Structure formats: C-alpha cells, structure tokens
Amino acid sequence: MRTICSLILLLLGWNGLMAQPSGDSLSVTTATFSAGIGSTHVLDTYLSQEKFSGPGLTLLATRQWQRPDRRWCTFLQHQANSAFVEDRSGQREEMEFCYTFYYGRYRQWQWGKFDVLTGALAAATIGFLYNTSNSNNPAQARLSLQLMPSAVVTYHLARWAFRYEADLPLAGIAFSPNYGQSYYEIFSRGIYDHNLVPTTFVSAPNLRQMLSADFRVSRRLTLRLGYLGDYQQMHVNGLKSHIYTHHILLGIVSRFSKIRR
C-alpha cells in the first residue's frame, strides 16, 4: 500500500516540476466543456444482488496546456456523473453520484495527420450509491485513488479532428467494507477489517474511453460530438460492483495562447 501511494505522489510531484517552465514562456491552452446523457448500469452486491439501470448525466471540464517548443503537455479534468436507476421489476431504485479529478502528463508524437499522446493519469474519485429500499446499510461510499496509463490519438482532416482516448488502471487503493460488515462497525465502533484495499487491473479491471469528432468553427472555437464509455468494476472483500456508463457528449473546445510567468 505504501509503495502504491509513494508512486502516485512521485508522479504528481514530478509532473508538477515538469509543468513549471523557467522564466516567461508562451503556453497554448485547450479548454473543453462537455455534457453527456445516456444509460447507466449499476451493480453493488453490498446493497443488493439485483442489477439496476436507468438514465445518467455526465459533465466534463478539461484543460490542457503545452509550450509550442516542448513535447510534454499537462492535463487536468473534472468529471461528475449522476444517475437514477431501477431494478428490472421497477420496484427498487438507487441513486448514484461520483466525482473524479484527473491529473496527468503526456508525451506528444506526430506522424503526418496523426497526433499521438502517451502518458499517465492520477485519478482521485469520491462518490456514493444510495438504495431507497434498504433500511439497514442503505448507502455505499466510493473512494479510490488510481494510477492509469493513458493514450490519445487524433486524426486531423481539414476542419475536422477525430479523437480517441483510452485510460486503463495500473494500480491504486480503494475503500470498501468487508462482506457482512456494516458502516456502524467501521465508523462508530472503529472495527477495521481490511477496508483500505490495494487494487490492480485484476481486481479492478476498469476502462474509460472517449471517441469524438470535432468541427472547427473558427481559430479559437470548435464544436464536439462524442461518446463516453466508462466501465468501472471492482471485486474486493467478497463484494462485487460495477458502474457502466454509455453517454453521448456535446461540447465546445476553445484554444488560446498566453504568457506564463
């Protein structure tokens, strides 16, 4: 656990140093805001053995900046998801909310019309699931910190740009009650039972991917139509959970230059 946390802190510290150029420098910033709507599928065996599905909403705010004379760029993103889902009978409902902050660094590669970014993200997630039918243990917390290799491929064609991004978890740490353990035992009685669990791509085989088509309206403004597929899974402490998100995105992309000191 200490090794995982040290690696993540080292990544954040190293990226912070890399992101600070010495003296005045020109920086090109790309800012994106997107809203998405679609279907969300939820399973959490701590709350129920049933699978739930229903409409969901995603909000994405992204900022990326890079010096024209450098191959490295810095990436920040805020992602908020919410959903109201019900089981197959329509008698039980769950509410889901999740916020994730992404911080990463990418190395840029260019081959003709292809622009490729490869790097890593640190992702911190906080959220909850709430089952409206449960009187005992009605809610489940979602807390995790992950290190994720990431790649972005963009194909440029006249005023269009077609972009694909994929993020996969490598290692991290997550909070989870143990099988049969209540939150009362954890927080009121202080009974710890392996509630901070190291995760890997085996116990948490997640995948986050985005496919988008951008149309450049002007030098600074671009319109975006895309798809977000966010597949979060975890199997720890005898409990299984997944949240599958399939959302259509609409957004705007703006680019501008500024002097950074």
Side-chain angles (χ1 to χ4, degrees):
M1 184 183 303
R2 291 182 178 177
T3 302
I4 294 172
C5 293
S6 298
L7 288 174
I8 294 174
L9 291 174
L10 179 62
L11 173 71
L12 293 174
W14 180 78
N15 287 338
L17 292 175
M18 290 291 293
Q20 299 177 359
S22 58
D24 296 352
S25 61
L26 179 67
S27 174
V28 178
T29 300
T30 302
T32 305
F33 179 80
S34 302
I37 190 170
S39 64
T40 301
H41 304 268
V42 177
L43 169 69
D44 193 298
T45 58
Y46 181 76
L47 300 177
S48 173
Q49 297 294 325
E50 287 289 332
K51 295 180 180 180
F52 293 74
S53 61
L57 174 69
T58 294
L59 297 177
L60 287 174
T62 303
R63 184 173 291 267
Q64 176 181 319
W65 63 86
Q66 179 178 6
R67 288 176 55 178
D69 59 338
R70 297 290 179 87
R71 289 295 183 180
W72 287 93
C73 64
T74 302
F75 177 91
L76 299 177
Q77 186 174 83
H78 305 271
Q79 177 177 332
N81 294 339
S82 64
F84 293 88
V85 294
E86 60 182 23
D87 64 2
R88 289 170 290 183
S89 67
Q91 301 299 314
R92 297 182 178 182
E93 297 179 335
E94 288 185 348
M95 293 183 293
E96 183 261 343
F97 175 80
C98 176
Y99 165 76
T100 303
F101 173 72
Y102 297 92
Y103 177 91
R105 288 282 290 173
Y106 288 95
R107 172 67 161 83
Q108 184 184 41
W109 314 82
Q110 288 183 319
W111 293 284
K113 296 182 178 181
F114 285 94
D115 186 4
V116 180
L117 300 175
T118 58
L121 299 171
T125 298
I126 182 172
F128 67 88
L129 280 172
Y130 179 75
N131 189 303
T132 60
S133 301
N134 288 2
S135 57
N136 184 30
N137 290 336
Q140 168 74 302
R142 297 184 61 199
L143 295 168
S144 66
L145 182 63
Q146 291 185 324
L147 180 63
M148 308 173 66
S150 177
V152 182
V153 179
T154 304
Y155 178 73
H156 298 275
L157 181 63
R159 300 175 72 93
W160 290 89
F162 301 93
R163 181 180 183 275
Y164 176 74
E165 176 184 345
D167 311 318
L168 294 167
L170 178 63
I173 189 170
F175 168 82
S176 174
N178 216 316
Y179 182 83
Q181 184 185 27
S182 68
Y183 277 81
Y184 172 78
E185 293 175 309
I186 301 173
F187 296 108
S188 296
R189 301 183 61 186
I191 301 177
Y192 173 80
D193 191 8
H194 300 93
N195 301 125
L196 291 178
V197 186
T199 59
T200 66
F201 58 89
V202 177
S203 59
N206 304 332
L207 170 64
R208 178 174 177 263
Q209 59 179 353
M210 286 188 286
L211 178 65
S212 63
D214 296 350
F215 178 74
R216 180 165 51 85
V217 178
S218 64
R219 185 173 64 89
R220 292 188 176 183
L221 180 64
T222 298
L223 301 180
R224 170 169 292 181
L225 173 65
Y227 162 78
L228 170 66
D230 197 353
Y231 321 122
Q232 306 294 321
Q233 304 176 102
M234 190 165 63
H235 186 187
V236 296
N237 287 346
L239 300 172
K240 294 182 181 180
S241 66
H242 72 232
I243 299 179
Y244 301 148
T245 298
H246 304 277
H247 287 180
I248 299 298
L249 299 173
L250 292 175
I252 56 174
V253 182
S254 60
R255 295 179 176 85
F256 53 91
S257 302
K258 64 179 182 179
I259 300 297
R260 302 187 67 194
R261 292 179 169 86

